[in-house]
């Protein structure tokens, strides 16, 4: 009969709390650990509003089910660009309240109907220099199986991988999306991938490139620059080939129907302001979408790994392209990869 | 000769089954950040990480609460069902057993999707109560089968004798049936706890971040962080599981 | 009679739980494989008008007008996404077309201004796709789950080869599950038998050891394999040390790794029922056969094996059903060519939000499982159950 109080306790925990804390959801990793300190809790201290944070993996299904069931547990989420556009069209995110969030402070392309630019992120080619003295320096060299033997690691999906394939095949950066929009271009990308397929492996989670390069299971990988740069800070030898950068911006969005919507907008305004962002940029290699911080020479000098430092060398991942062609190309990639 | 070869084979297979898990133990003590052997050094930092982490502690707490509640619910419902099947002597016994076994036959993914939709209608997604219901559903067949097996060997004439002697129903239950099936009920309860403790796929669908169980958190860890903290968590998880195994062993030896 | 009533009351809660939260929702879910609500929900008037159109040539100005107006309204109210995804699923590019049209400022006569905006509005096949989507039911998802497609004229045609994935996927899932089950049986049978030949104390220890992995989380076991199978890991080191390989071999993210991990997980499920059945076999029968002069192998094949068949069937069934539902282990240790259907169901449900496809694949998977289980029952049931 001691079980009865335990059962009662369990049921109590089960009932949803009504006055819920402001909840912000990110993608996890080192970024979130530092953001918790410099953005979320800093806001909590200044505003007196408690802020909770948690992680997701971009599963829009969770957001959709919350909004449709009118039981929204998440207030502010960090979303990748295509999901932001989709979510906005599907009525899952609120339109940004530009009376609370200052639109002018963002770099061009850093805002959209339902989102305010949070951070830039990128992927680039790297390898373990303690194992391999001299690795490929660009995508064409990555495709050279003779000169650079060993396994290659690319992302398990069409996005980013097809652009890389075209660039390796000789397409100029500025022409990549134009070529990829045509059937011939798509066939060309898959043909290029076929050439290195026997030596190709795929990663599904952001932590895998570092793990697999570090353990020697792959020779060269295209992975997130933030994590890699941080591993270098911790003593690893992973040279990043910046001319192979592909980058994009993640945005903050407010979930439609959130009981803390207004507070959420205020949080977003805070998180994109220069002071908190500069503090964050000191602790973790991010590229803010707030112009004044991105251009701050002190911030740039402190973080040579900031995407903004290299964006002219890199390729901006075209959001609209992937919103339009994403379903199709991802399906074709899945079929191709499964053969 | 055959016997000798068979025994060697058996030892090798058992080694194959048991040993691999132990590779996790040294890794939980590594001083490096990668999940590779050999370890560069030794350190307790991952255990400290595990204990200091709100997320891991919440997951442990959730796993224990949900496991205990599942054991309670599944054992109660399952034992009642087994008794009902035994006493009722229904003609459709086969069909009823099949229905009760449905959670076993339906692949976990499909169960996850079905529960997700059912719960969405009544707001049970992302709640501990929903998780308890879901796990009880999954554990139910095991309890029913275990208790039914114990009842199968029971001589019904004893029941009739007791009834004819004027014993009321509850006395029959407490003095006649209960001692017989008590070990099976206990086994079933432990089984139910273990199933809930290790369950991952349904939790993937219906648990929100506040309800993450240890396996769910481990999967997030494997996908996101790939740090040796997962190994520390795994060692803790395994220790609890082995403890439960020892308990079932004790119960079973008392049964025979 | 009162006993029956009592029994029914005892049985009821469990039955209600299973029927209420599993069986009934399952039917509703599987129904989603055939439902087609998006067009009707987003553009109700258009759906009705398209229903009245005979499908020849292009629909009238009323349909064009209704489409333009309702699209624009849906876009403003943020209701357009589901429809865009549904149509884009049937034909790539329609999403962009819908959005472009919804945001454009069009004026009548729409049957001229819409094709002027985008030539696709003058293409009858586009309108046929819209018409097909008016619902309430569609065979599209089930067809796609079998690598078939619906042409605009309503015929069924195979999907282009570079997009055909599901038939192979089902065959692969079936094949991998069968191979895993067979491996478990081949390994588990001798082990179970050996355990029965041990003294009671050793037998208990043996079974206890077999149960140990059973009680350890699947994720923990999978993580262990992830670590063991690395290039610089212990298994490769052992292989090289034994002289079996010249250099490190890639073991992780291969089919071999998947089979290894799955057998590791499923073996105890097979050994347990086998052991349970074998333990109850009275050695009297074997001795009788021996005394009648039957050689060892004949005793095994004709006497022992048939008596263990219920255990074999039980173990095989459990192993097969569990491996069909698995996807986490193959997802973690296997390559893209080793994934099983369940992974796609989870992906459609959790990531892409395509419930139609998730339900269609789930329905087919359930059907496949039911067929195999049914076939197994037919084979096992007529067999003599042995005595005891």
């Amino acid at each position: 009969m001691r079980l009865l109080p335990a059962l009662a306790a369990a049921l109590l925990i089960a009932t949803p709390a009504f006055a819920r804390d402001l909840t912000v959801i990110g993608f996890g990793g080192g970024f979130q650990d530092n953001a918790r300190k410099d953005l979320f809790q800093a806001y909590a201290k200044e505003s007196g509003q408690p802020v909770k944070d948690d992680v997701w993996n971009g599963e829009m299904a969770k957001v959709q089910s919350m909004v449709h069931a009118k039981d929204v547990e998440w207030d502010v989420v960090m979303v990748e660009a295509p999901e932001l556009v989709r979510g906005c069209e599907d009525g899952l995110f609120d339109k940004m309240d530009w009376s609370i969030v200052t639109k002018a402070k963002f770099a061009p392309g850093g805002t959209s109907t339902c989102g305010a630019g949070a951070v830039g992120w990128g992927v680039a080619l790297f390898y373990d220099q303690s194992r391999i003295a001299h690795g490929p320096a660009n995508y064409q060299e990555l495709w050279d199986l003779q000169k650079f033997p060993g396994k290659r690691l690319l992302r398990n999906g069409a996005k980013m991988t097809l652009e890389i394939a075209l660039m390796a095949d000789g397409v100029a950066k500025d022409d990549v999306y134009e070529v990829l929009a045509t059937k011939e271009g798509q066939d060309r990308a898959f043909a290029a991938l076929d050439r290195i397929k026997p030596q190709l492996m795929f990663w599904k989670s952001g932590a895998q490139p570092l793990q697999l390069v570090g353990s020697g299971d792959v020779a060269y990988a295209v992975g997130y620059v933030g994590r890699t740069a941080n591993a270098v800070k911790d003593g690893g030898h992973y040279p990043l080939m910046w001319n192979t950068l592909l980058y994009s911006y993640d945005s903050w969005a407010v979930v439609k129907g959130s009981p803390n919507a207004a507070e959420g907008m205020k949080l977003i305004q805070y998180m994109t302001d220069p002071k908190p962002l500069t503090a964050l940029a000191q602790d973790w290699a991010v590229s803010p979408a707030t112009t004044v911080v991105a251009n701050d020479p002190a911030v740039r000098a402190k973080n040579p790994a900031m995407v903004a430092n290299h964006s002219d060398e890199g390729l901006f991942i075209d959001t609209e392209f992937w919103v339009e062609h994403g379903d199709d190309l991802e399906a074709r990639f899945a079929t191709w990869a499964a053969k | 000769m055959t016997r000798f070869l068979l025994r060697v084979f058996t030892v090798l297979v058992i080694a194959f089954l048991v040993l691999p898990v132990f590779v996790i133990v040294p890794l939980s003590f590594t001083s490096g950040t990668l999940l590779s052997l050999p370890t560069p050094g030794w350190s307790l930092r991952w255990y400290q990480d595990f204990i200091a982490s709100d997320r891991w502690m919440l997951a442990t707490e959730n796993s224990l609460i949900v496991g205990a509640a599942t054991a309670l619910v599944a054992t109660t419902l399952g034992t009642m069902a087994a008794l009902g099947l035994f006493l009722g002597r229904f003609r459709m016994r086969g069909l009823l057993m099949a229905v009760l076994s449905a959670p076993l036959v339906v692949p976990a993914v499909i169960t996850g999707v079905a529960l997700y939709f059912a719960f969405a209608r009544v707001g049970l997604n992302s709640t501990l109560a929903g998780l308890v219901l879901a796990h009880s559903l999954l554990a139910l067949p095991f309890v029913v089968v275990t208790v039914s097996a114990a009842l199968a060997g029971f001589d019904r004439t004893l029941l009739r004798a007791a009834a004819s002697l004027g014993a009321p129903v509850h006395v029959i239950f407490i003095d006649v049936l209960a001692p017989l099936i008590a070990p099976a009920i206990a086994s079933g309860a432990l089984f139910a706890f273990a199933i809930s403790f290790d369950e991952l796929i349904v939790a993937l669908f219906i648990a929100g971040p506040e309800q993450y169980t240890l396996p769910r958190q481990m999967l997030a860890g494997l996908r996101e962080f790939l740090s040796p903290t997962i190994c520390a968590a795994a060692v803790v998880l395994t220790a609890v599981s082995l403890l439960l195994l020892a308990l079932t062993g004790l119960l079973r030896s008392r049964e025979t | 009679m009162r006993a029956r009533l009592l029994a029914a009351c005892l049985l009821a809660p469990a039955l209600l739980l299973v029927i209420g939260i599993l069986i009934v929702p399952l039917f509703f879910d599987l129904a989603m494989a055939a439902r087609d609500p998006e067009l009707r929900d987003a553009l109700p008037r258009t759906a009705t008008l398209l229903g009245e159109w005979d499908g020849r040539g292009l629909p009238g100005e009323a349909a064009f007008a209704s489409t333009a107006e309702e699209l624009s309204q849906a876009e403003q109210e943020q209701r357009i996404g589901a429809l865009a995804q549904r149509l884009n699923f049937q034909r790539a590019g329609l999403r962009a077309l819908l959005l472009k049209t919804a945001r454009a400022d069009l004026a009548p006569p729409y049957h001229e201004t819409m094709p002027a905006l985008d030539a696709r509005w003058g293409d009858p096949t586009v309108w046929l796709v819209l018409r097909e989507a008016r619902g309430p039911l569609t065979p599209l998802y089930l067809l796609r789950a079998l690598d078939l497609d619906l042409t605009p004229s309503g015929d069924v045609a195979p999907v282009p080869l570079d997009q055909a994935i599901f038939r192979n996927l089902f065959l692969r899932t079936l094949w991998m599950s069968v191979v895993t089950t067979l491996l478990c049986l081949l390994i588990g049978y001798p082990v179970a038998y050996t355990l029965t030949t041990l003294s009671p104390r050793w037998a208990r220890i043996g079974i206890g050891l077999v149960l140990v992995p059973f009680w350890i989380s699947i994720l923990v076991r999978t993580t262990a394999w992830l670590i063991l199978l690395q290039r610089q890991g212990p298994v490769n080191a052992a292989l090289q040390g034994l002289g079996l390989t010249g250099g490190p071999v890639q073991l992780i993210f291969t089919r071999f790794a998947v089979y290894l991990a799955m057998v590791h997980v499923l073996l105890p499920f097979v050994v347990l029922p086998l052991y349970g059945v074998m333990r109850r076999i009275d050695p009297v029968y074997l001795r009788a056969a021996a005394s009648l002069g039957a050689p060892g192998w004949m005793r095994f094949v004709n006497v022992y094996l048939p008596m263990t068949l219920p255990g074999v069937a039980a173990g095989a069934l459990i192993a097969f059903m569990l491996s069909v539902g698995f996807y986490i282990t193959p997802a973690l240790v296997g390559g893209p060519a080793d994934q099983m259907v369940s992974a796609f169901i989870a992906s459609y449900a959790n990531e892409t939000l395509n419930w139609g496809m998730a339900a269609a694949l789930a329905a087919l998977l359930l059907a496949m499982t039911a067929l195999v289980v049914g076939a197994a029952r037919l084979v096992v049931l007529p067999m003599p159950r042995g005595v005891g």
Side-chain angles (χ1 to χ4, degrees):
Chain A
M1 283 303 109
R2 262 165 293 147
L3 299 160
L4 223 56
L7 183 60
L11 284 173
L12 271 173
I13 298 168
T15 49
F18 287 104
R20 182 169 63 65
D21 286 340
L22 185 59
T23 308
V24 54
I25 310 287
F27 291 118
F31 168 79
Q32 186 140 345
D33 289 334
N34 287 292
R36 188 173 305 127
K37 190 177 40 129
D38 296 318
L39 300 180
F40 312 149
Q41 295 313 314
Y43 176 78
K45 225 186 301 191
E46 257 192 44
S47 68
Q49 268 274 346
V51 177
K52 265 194 332 202
D53 71 278
D54 218 308
V55 289
W56 73 322
N57 210 9
E59 308 104 338
M60 288 298 285
K62 281 254 149 76
V63 177
Q64 192 189 55
S65 83
M66 269 186 232
V67 173
H68 287 178
K70 301 212 179 10
D71 184 15
V72 178
E73 317 230 322
W74 296 350
D75 301 309
V76 176
V77 289
M78 179 183 275
V79 256
E80 280 190 33
E83 280 76 38
L84 175 68
V85 173
R86 282 253 176 101
C88 199
E89 288 159 2
D90 290 353
L92 299 179
F93 299 127
D94 269 340
K95 300 200 176 173
M96 283 307 292
D97 188 341
W98 299 118
S99 67
I100 302 183
V101 183
T102 327
K103 198 166 183 181
K105 63 180 167 174
F106 293 101
T111 60
S112 88
T113 319
C114 296
V119 283
W121 56 268
V123 297
L125 177 62
F126 71 96
Y127 53 90
D128 187 349
Q129 203 156 42
S130 61
R131 284 184 214 268
I132 299 169
H134 182 58
N138 54 53
Y139 287 126
Q140 262 133 341
E141 287 190 4
L142 184 63
W143 251 243
D144 190 338
L145 297 175
Q146 249 69 348
K147 198 158 155 213
F148 300 103
K151 296 277 180 188
R152 288 105 165 94
L153 189 70
L154 293 178
R155 190 174 151 276
N156 188 18
K159 192 161 81 159
M160 295 189 268
T161 309
L162 292 185
E163 291 98 316
I164 292 177
L166 279 184
M167 287 195 279
D169 203 41
V171 177
K173 239 187 353 213
D174 296 326
D175 302 327
V176 166
Y177 287 107
E178 217 179 283
V179 175
L180 201 53
T182 67
K183 179 96 178 35
E184 301 76 43
Q186 292 162 13
D187 291 341
R188 185 174 170 184
F190 279 103
L193 284 172
D194 272 324
R195 286 207 296 275
I196 63 166
K197 199 170 185 197
Q199 293 286 55
L200 198 50
M201 281 167 55
F202 297 102
W203 58 265
K204 268 171 282 208
S205 88
Q208 279 178 306
L210 258 181
Q211 163 74 25
L212 293 170
V213 166
S215 72
D217 279 282
V218 300
Y220 326 103
V222 174
Y224 291 119
V225 299
R227 292 186 199 236
T228 316
N230 248 63
V232 169
K233 231 195 245 176
D234 283 342
H237 302 280
Y238 307 116
L240 281 162
M241 305 295 132
W242 286 106
N243 66 333
T244 61
L245 177 70
L246 285 95
Y247 68 98
S248 177
Y249 285 100
D250 286 346
S251 301
W252 296 113
V254 173
V255 180
K256 206 180 202 58
S258 143
N260 298 320
E263 200 63 42
M265 289 286 174
K266 288 198 208 131
L267 175 64
I268 295 182
Q269 165 71 341
Y270 181 83
M271 292 195 291
T272 50
D273 260 348
K275 196 162 74 88
L277 264 183
T278 313
L280 177 60
Q282 309 281 2
D283 293 330
W284 185 257
V286 292
S287 189
T290 307
T291 326
V292 67
V293 183
N295 290 334
D296 184 345
V299 172
R300 278 193 165 200
K302 177 109 189 197
N303 258 331
M306 255 173 68
V307 169
N309 277 344
H310 306 270
S311 50
D312 40 345
E313 286 178 82
L315 173 68
F316 181 72
I317 303 173
D318 190 336
T319 311
E320 277 306 321
F321 176 87
W322 284 109
V323 170
E324 181 170 338
H325 297 271
D327 286 343
D328 221 30
L329 288 175
E330 292 293 348
R332 186 170 169 186
F333 183 90
T335 317
W336 172 84
K339 288 219 176 79
Chain B
M1 184 57 192
T2 336
R3 194 160 267 212
F4 174 70
L5 283 176
L6 278 176
R7 291 196 181 186
V8 167
F9 181 72
T10 306
V11 168
L12 284 174
V13 171
I14 292 188
F16 164 72
L17 282 176
V18 174
L19 290 181
V21 180
F22 289 98
V23 78
I24 297 212
V25 177
L27 254 175
S28 65
F29 292 109
T30 179
S31 62
T33 54
L34 288 179
L35 287 175
S36 322
L37 295 168
T39 61
W42 305 111
S43 140
L44 277 176
R45 68 190 269 210
W46 306 113
Y47 284 98
Q48 287 167 330
D49 242 13
F50 177 72
I51 298 182
S53 160
D54 288 336
R55 227 171 262 136
W56 283 111
M57 286 295 102
L58 175 66
T60 312
E61 193 185 301
N62 284 337
S63 277
L64 289 171
I65 294 179
V66 172
T70 301
L72 181 65
V73 174
T75 312
T76 309
L77 290 184
T79 308
M80 281 166 56
L83 279 173
L85 280 174
F86 174 70
L87 291 173
R89 298 212 279 174
F90 300 105
R91 254 174 316 159
M92 299 212 292
R93 189 179 199 276
L95 178 64
L96 290 167
M97 272 300 266
V99 170
L100 287 172
S101 314
L104 272 182
V105 178
V106 178
V109 182
I110 302 183
T111 308
V113 175
L115 284 173
Y116 175 76
F117 274 104
F119 284 178
R121 272 170 234 257
V122 292
L124 273 176
N125 273 325
S126 299
T127 62
L128 281 180
L131 202 49
V132 170
L133 270 181
H135 283 182
S136 303
L137 174 76
L138 292 171
L140 191 65
F142 290 94
V143 177
V144 173
V145 166
T146 313
V147 176
S148 291
L151 284 170
F154 188 71
D155 190 348
R156 255 176 239 274
T157 55
L158 278 172
L159 276 181
R160 278 200 290 259
S164 71
L165 286 172
V169 172
H170 62 271
V171 167
I172 295 182
F173 178 72
I174 295 178
D175 287 337
V176 182
L177 280 174
L180 173 74
I181 58 177
I185 297 182
S187 276
L190 276 169
F191 237 109
F193 185 93
I195 288 173
S196 164
F197 207 63
D198 190 23
E199 206 283 318
L200 174 60
I201 295 188
V202 171
L204 258 178
F205 283 91
I206 67 174
E210 293 290 300
Q211 296 83 36
Y212 272 19
T213 53
L214 268 174
R216 179 65 185 92
Q217 184 60 43
M218 271 201 71
L219 184 68
L222 273 175
R223 281 187 183 162
E224 281 313 295
F225 307 105
L226 275 184
S227 88
T229 319
I230 310 172
C231 295
V235 169
V236 169
L237 193 56
T238 308
V240 173
S241 302
L242 289 179
L243 196 67
L244 287 174
L245 175 61
L247 274 176
T248 36
L250 269 172
L251 273 171
R252 210 173 272 175
S253 64
R254 226 186 268 173
E255 187 186 336
T256 50
Chain C
M1 198 50 232
R2 240 188 59 200
R4 267 260 166 116
L5 193 60
L6 174 68
C9 287
L10 285 172
L11 195 47
L15 273 182
L16 278 171
L17 183 71
V18 176
I19 296 179
I21 70 174
L22 182 60
I23 304 207
V24 168
L26 210 51
F27 274 109
F28 277 106
D29 286 339
L30 297 179
M32 259 192 295
R35 283 183 59 222
D36 207 357
E38 289 90 357
L39 187 69
R40 193 161 285 276
D41 284 344
L43 316 174
R45 244 182 339 162
T46 312
T48 318
L49 285 171
L50 286 173
E52 294 163 5
W53 172 45
D54 64 359
R56 280 199 288 238
L58 291 172
E61 167 71 9
F64 273 90
S66 160
T67 307
E69 281 156 22
E70 289 192 311
L71 269 180
S72 169
Q73 201 177 0
E75 199 266 337
Q76 274 164 22
E77 296 168 12
Q78 291 180 296
R79 279 188 298 117
I80 201 174
L83 175 62
Q85 183 171 315
R86 160 67 182 85
L87 290 177
N88 210 47
F89 178 71
Q90 184 160 0
R91 179 191 285 216
L94 285 186
R95 180 194 188 91
L97 177 64
L98 283 188
L99 288 172
K100 187 204 252 179
T101 312
R103 289 177 187 147
D105 216 356
L106 293 169
Y110 294 103
H111 67 272
E112 283 171 17
T113 49
M114 276 169 72
L117 173 70
D118 189 309
R120 283 176 286 191
W121 287 120
D123 179 355
T125 61
V126 169
W127 286 102
L128 284 172
V129 167
L130 278 168
R131 181 165 178 273
E132 205 274 322
R134 77 189 186 282
L137 295 177
T138 180
L140 180 67
Y141 298 117
L142 284 165
L143 287 175
R144 283 289 181 87
L146 293 168
D147 289 332
L148 297 168
D149 209 352
L150 211 51
T151 64
S153 47
D155 298 321
V156 170
V159 153
L161 264 181
D162 62 10
Q163 308 220 346
I165 191 177
F166 293 116
R167 275 189 237 175
N168 274 342
L169 195 58
F170 276 107
L171 285 174
R172 188 199 306 154
T173 305
L174 189 60
W175 171 252
M176 284 172 70
S177 304
V178 166
V179 169
T180 309
T181 306
L182 282 176
L183 283 173
C184 286
L185 283 175
L186 283 172
I187 300 176
Y189 196 94
V191 170
Y193 173 72
T194 312
L195 288 174
T196 59
T197 63
L198 299 173
S199 71
R201 184 167 142 259
W202 280 110
R204 231 198 332 254
I205 294 179
I207 269 289
L209 286 174
V210 169
L211 281 179
V212 163
F214 178 67
W215 286 77
I216 298 177
S217 167
I218 287 182
L219 270 186
V220 172
R221 286 180 272 171
T222 309
T223 314
W225 284 113
L226 270 173
I227 298 165
L228 286 169
L229 293 175
Q230 289 174 348
R231 282 190 91 104
Q232 322 274 350
V235 173
N236 255 314
L239 284 176
Q240 285 169 56
L242 287 172
L244 289 170
T245 55
V249 174
Q250 197 203 334
L251 297 169
I252 196 72
F253 304 144
T254 61
R255 182 66 63 91
F256 169 75
V258 177
Y259 283 140
L260 195 60
M262 280 175 64
V263 168
H264 190 243
V265 167
L266 292 175
L267 200 52
F269 286 95
V270 172
V271 170
L272 274 176
L274 273 176
Y275 177 69
V277 166
M278 285 175 175
R279 211 162 57 139
R280 301 212 173 96
I281 293 182
D282 197 332
V284 136
Y285 297 97
L286 287 170
R287 284 200 290 265
S291 73
L292 286 170
W297 63 269
M298 203 185 264
R299 291 203 300 270
F300 174 71
V301 172
N302 286 353
V303 181
Y304 195 71
L305 189 55
M307 286 205 281
T308 58
L309 270 176
V312 172
L317 224 53
I318 295 180
F320 181 81
M321 289 193 305
L322 284 174
S323 65
V324 159
F326 256 25
Y327 70 95
I328 306 261
T329 301
L332 287 171
V333 304
D338 307 315
Q339 301 315 306
M340 303 180 86
V341 177
S342 310
F344 280 80
I345 299 180
S347 162
Y348 276 121
N350 269 332
E351 291 160 29
T352 340
L353 301 187
N354 191 335
W355 297 110
M357 277 311 285
L361 288 171
L364 288 176
L365 183 64
L366 258 184
M368 187 175 90
T369 313
L371 272 174
V372 174
V373 170
R377 281 258 168 85
L378 281 175
V379 167
V380 171
L381 231 48
M383 283 195 166
R385 286 202 147 236
V387 224

